[in-house]
């Protein structure tokens, strides 16, 4: 195995390099003797270990083996043979888990104790989960408009959060990204599963969101590898669906401006197999509705974008009637249920930071951040702050905060009477710290 630069063709056997030292181009992993076999003893992405990096550690949460579903109603309406690959069934609800599994396994092999990364959402959730599994410290820098429920996931997995990003930060050599060679190798298993499912009768088009470009490139890379060894005998066109400026401004998850991997996209473009088109916020809202009400699948905003793009390409005669098309549904809509509500014909209404737990729970955390208290003592403190609440209601709030792992109860004996003393957990303290950072 070795790394090769897509630009200047530099090669190195040092697999821990992220960008080309000569031209700063993107590096991809190459194999000396590529043979596509499946390991019957492995499951998920790991059954393809013959075409993955050789790893000692395998940090897995059960990623891969996501379902491919025939679209029924939408296929008939559009006059095409349409399928969905639902990546929302991965452990943290997105395709990112494939890349995280391979990359974090590789970093574990390298003896890494801590990592740094920048995220707008799904990447951070996934990296946080796999770092937790691997006992690697995750230091995650998040976009200021990060989805708050995705932020909660990162905190819950034990990551250290910093509300900061800038151009210098994004170019830092010690930060891992979704475009790093080992991450791309994990992502490419999507196409390997597509190849196995269709048993040679592959789709004419594969459509997916094109944010940074790492996911569409990884699928293209797997396609090229199988074609080079004679297992694929047709050309597949890759449809890159992009948000327009309005949609990019509306949702941080969709803003590719600071993450766009131009070199990876250009590599597909050179082959003549790339189709690019854009869709707007309202089109995406409508598509989310269609996926849910016509096909029974909840998708997040960026995932929905492929459907309106396909409709445009059909209308512009760039896709023929009867074509076989597969849409990779990159993330589950369940990740957005708490922070996004659909308003008929009006798009999205987002919650402000902190609203996911409510004002009363927020104040409980604030009080407990200074003192550990019994339920009765806490009730008195809240009353002093002007928060009138019945004791049974307070205990219900405390129960829910314990279930969220934001507080814990410590049994103690006070004046010959047993009481439960509530105090913040590390996760609760980190959540409160993050809220305050966001507000300032």
């Amino acid at each position: 195995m070795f790394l090769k630069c897509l630009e200047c063709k530099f090669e190195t056997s040092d697999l821990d390099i992220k960008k080309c030292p000569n031209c700063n181009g993107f590096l991809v992993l190459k194999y000396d003797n590529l043979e596509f076999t499946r390991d019957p003893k492995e499951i998920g992405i790991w059954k393809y270990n013959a075409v993955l990096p050789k790893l000692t550690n395998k940090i897995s949460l059960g990623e891969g083996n996501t379902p491919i579903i025939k679209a029924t109603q939408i296929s008939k309406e559009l006059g095409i043979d349409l399928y969905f690959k639902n990546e929302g069934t991965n452990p943290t609800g997105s395709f990112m888990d494939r890349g995280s599994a391979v990359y974090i396994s590789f970093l574990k092999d390298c003896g890494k104790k801590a990592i740094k990364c920048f995220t707008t959402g799904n990447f951070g959730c996934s990296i946080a989960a796999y770092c937790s599994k691997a006992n690697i410290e995750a230091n995650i820098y998040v976009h200021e408009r990060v989805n708050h429920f995705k932020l909660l996931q990162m905190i819950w997995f034990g990551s250290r959060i910093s509300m900061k990003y800038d151009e210098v930060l994004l170019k830092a050599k010690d930060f891992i990204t979704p475009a790093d060679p080992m991450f791309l190798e994990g992502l490419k298993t999507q196409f390997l599963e597509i190849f196995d499912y269709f048993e040679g009768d592959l789709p004419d088009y594969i459509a997916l969101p094109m944010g940074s470009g790492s996911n569409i490139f990884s699928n293209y890379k797997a396609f090229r590898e199988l074609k080079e060894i004679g297992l694929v005998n047709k050309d597949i066109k890759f449809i890159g669906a992009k948000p327009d400026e309005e949609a990019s401004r509306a949702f941080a998850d969709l803003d590719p401006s600071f993450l766009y991997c131009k070199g990876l996209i250009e590599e597909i473009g050179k082959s003549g197999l790339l189709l690019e088109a854009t869709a707007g916020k309202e089109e995406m809202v409508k598509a989310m509705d269609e996926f849910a009400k016509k096909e029974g699948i909840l998708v997040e905003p960026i995932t929905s974008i492929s459907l309106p793009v396909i409709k445009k390409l059909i209308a512009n005669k760039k896709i023929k009637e009867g074509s076989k098309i597969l849409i990779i549904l990159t993330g589950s809509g369940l990740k957005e249920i708490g922070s996004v509500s659909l308003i008929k014909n009006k798009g999205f209404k987002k919650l402000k930071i902190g609203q996911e737990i409510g004002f009363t729970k927020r104040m409980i955390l604030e009080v407990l951040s200074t003192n550990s208290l019994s339920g009765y003592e806490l009730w008195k403190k809240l009353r002093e702050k002007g928060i009138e609440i019945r004791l049974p209601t307070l205990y219900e709030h405390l129960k829910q905060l314990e279930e969220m792992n934001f507080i814990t109860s410590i049994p103690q004996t006070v004046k010959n009477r047993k009481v439960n003393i509530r105090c913040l957990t590390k996760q609760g303290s980190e959540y409160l710290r993050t809220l305050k950072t966001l507000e300032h």
Side-chain angles (χ1 to χ4, degrees):
M1 293 186 297
F2 60 97
L3 295 177
K4 186 173 182 177
C5 176
L6 292 175
E7 298 294 327
C8 70
K9 310 308 177 187
F10 164 82
E11 295 182 4
T12 178
S13 59
D14 184 354
L15 303 182
D16 199 19
I17 298 177
K18 300 179 181 67
K19 297 292 284 290
C20 177
N22 292 342
C23 70
N24 202 40
F26 290 97
L27 298 172
V28 295
L29 191 65
K30 295 287 185 178
Y31 298 85
D32 298 308
N33 296 295
L34 192 67
E35 292 185 15
F36 182 59
T37 58
R38 296 86 165 167
D39 187 341
K41 297 179 182 179
E42 296 283 359
I43 60 172
I45 69 170
W46 301 106
K47 67 183 176 184
Y48 301 113
N49 55 30
V51 288
L52 290 175
K54 307 304 176 189
L55 300 166
T56 301
N57 289 283
K58 289 184 180 177
I59 309 302
S60 178
L61 295 171
E63 59 289 328
N65 197 31
T66 57
I68 292 178
I69 305 158
K70 168 75 174 178
T72 51
Q73 296 189 60
I74 298 177
S75 281
K76 293 176 183 178
E77 291 174 6
L78 299 183
I80 57 176
D81 189 15
L82 184 63
Y83 295 81
F84 306 130
K85 184 163 180 61
N86 190 1
E87 288 295 291
T89 62
N90 277 304
T92 74
S94 86
F95 72 100
M96 292 287 188
D97 293 338
R98 297 173 181 270
S100 295
V102 172
Y103 201 0
I104 298 303
S105 297
F106 171 75
L107 294 176
K108 188 73 172 177
D109 278 4
C110 293
K112 302 287 185 183
K113 302 296 183 183
I115 61 93
K116 295 178 183 178
C117 75
F118 170 79
T119 185
T120 59
N122 285 331
F123 180 58
C125 292
S126 185
I127 287 293
Y130 284 82
C131 280
S132 174
K133 179 71 172 176
N135 195 26
I136 293 175
E137 179 183 302
N139 298 282
I140 301 179
Y141 293 73
V142 301
H143 190 281
E144 60 191 1
R145 292 190 295 125
V146 67
N147 175 294
H148 303 147
F149 280 82
K150 291 177 182 178
L151 178 60
L152 276 175
Q153 288 181 45
M154 298 175 220
I155 295 171
W156 204 338
F157 288 128
S159 299
R160 183 73 176 174
I161 307 297
S162 297
M163 306 304 298
K164 178 184 178 183
Y165 85 96
D166 54 42
E167 290 297 326
V168 175
L169 189 71
L170 295 174
K171 294 176 182 177
K173 292 183 179 180
D174 59 341
F175 274 57
I176 66 172
T177 80
D180 291 345
M182 293 299 167
F183 199 88
L184 294 175
E185 289 305 292
L187 295 185
K188 79 178 187 183
T189 57
Q190 292 164 96
F191 185 83
L192 303 180
E193 291 178 6
I194 292 167
F195 175 80
D196 278 347
Y197 178 86
F198 287 103
E199 298 181 337
D201 186 18
L202 288 165
D204 304 307
Y205 301 88
I206 294 178
L208 63 164
M210 192 163 69
S212 69
S214 60
N215 196 27
I216 193 169
F217 174 79
S218 67
N219 279 273
Y220 170 76
K221 182 178 188 289
F223 158 74
R224 292 296 308 174
E225 287 175 345
L226 295 189
K227 193 168 187 182
E228 286 169 7
I229 60 177
L231 294 179
V232 173
N233 56 13
K234 67 178 285 187
D235 280 337
I236 297 174
K237 290 202 171 180
F238 292 84
I239 300 172
K242 301 185 295 184
D244 65 14
E245 290 186 12
E246 181 194 12
S248 293
R249 287 193 303 268
F251 311 106
D253 295 46
L254 308 187
D255 183 0
S257 59
F258 45 84
L259 295 172
Y260 190 65
C261 302
K262 185 178 179 182
L264 299 181
I265 303 302
E266 288 178 343
E267 189 68 15
I268 310 174
K270 292 174 187 175
S271 69
L273 298 178
L274 178 64
L275 284 175
E276 298 181 71
T278 62
K281 183 176 70 173
E282 297 301 325
E283 292 172 303
M284 293 162 59
V285 171
K286 183 178 178 182
M288 290 176 71
D289 216 26
E290 285 190 79
F291 278 119
K293 293 178 178 176
K294 295 179 180 178
E295 303 293 347
I297 303 174
L298 296 177
V299 299
E300 60 180 353
I302 186 60
T303 297
S304 72
I305 200 170
S306 295
L307 184 57
V309 160
I310 286 172
K311 290 181 178 180
K312 288 181 180 180
L313 293 173
I314 292 173
N316 294 333
K317 309 297 183 183
K318 292 185 178 180
I319 292 178
K320 296 179 181 178
E321 184 178 347
S323 295
K324 180 185 285 188
I325 304 175
L326 176 106
I327 297 177
I328 297 179
L329 303 177
T330 51
S332 171
L334 293 173
K335 299 177 75 118
E336 295 277 358
I337 289 295
S339 63
V340 178
S341 60
L342 274 176
I343 301 176
K344 194 70 173 176
N345 299 321
K346 291 186 179 179
F348 293 91
K349 179 180 180 181
K350 286 215 168 194
L351 293 174
K352 293 181 180 179
I353 186 67
Q355 286 183 346
E356 59 271 2
I357 64 168
F359 175 75
T360 302
K361 289 186 178 67
R362 166 71 182 269
M363 293 307 300
I364 291 171
L365 296 181
E366 292 276 7
V367 172
L368 292 178
S369 68
T370 56
N371 289 293
S372 297
L373 300 168
S374 68
Y376 182 72
E377 290 171 328
L378 178 59
W379 177 72
K380 289 198 298 182
K381 286 286 186 183
L382 291 172
R383 285 176 64 88
E384 289 173 10
K385 292 180 176 292
I387 301 173
E388 298 291 337
I389 185 173
R390 296 172 60 248
L391 268 173
T393 304
L394 171 63
Y395 284 114
E396 185 61 31
H397 281 296
L398 293 175
K399 178 183 177 183
Q400 291 168 1
L401 286 170
E402 283 194 53
E403 290 172 350
M404 297 170 75
N405 197 28
F406 283 175
I407 67 171
T408 188
S409 296
I410 302 173
Q412 290 187 10
T413 301
V414 179
K415 295 181 180 180
N416 297 319
R417 187 168 62 90
K418 291 183 178 180
V419 296
N420 287 321
I421 303 298
R422 268 75 178 192
C423 56
L424 283 188
T425 62
K426 180 181 177 182
Q427 182 174 310
S429 297
E430 180 67 14
Y431 174 71
L432 194 58
R433 185 190 70 81
T434 304
L435 286 185
K436 292 177 179 178
T437 303
L438 273 170
E439 291 167 347
H440 291 89

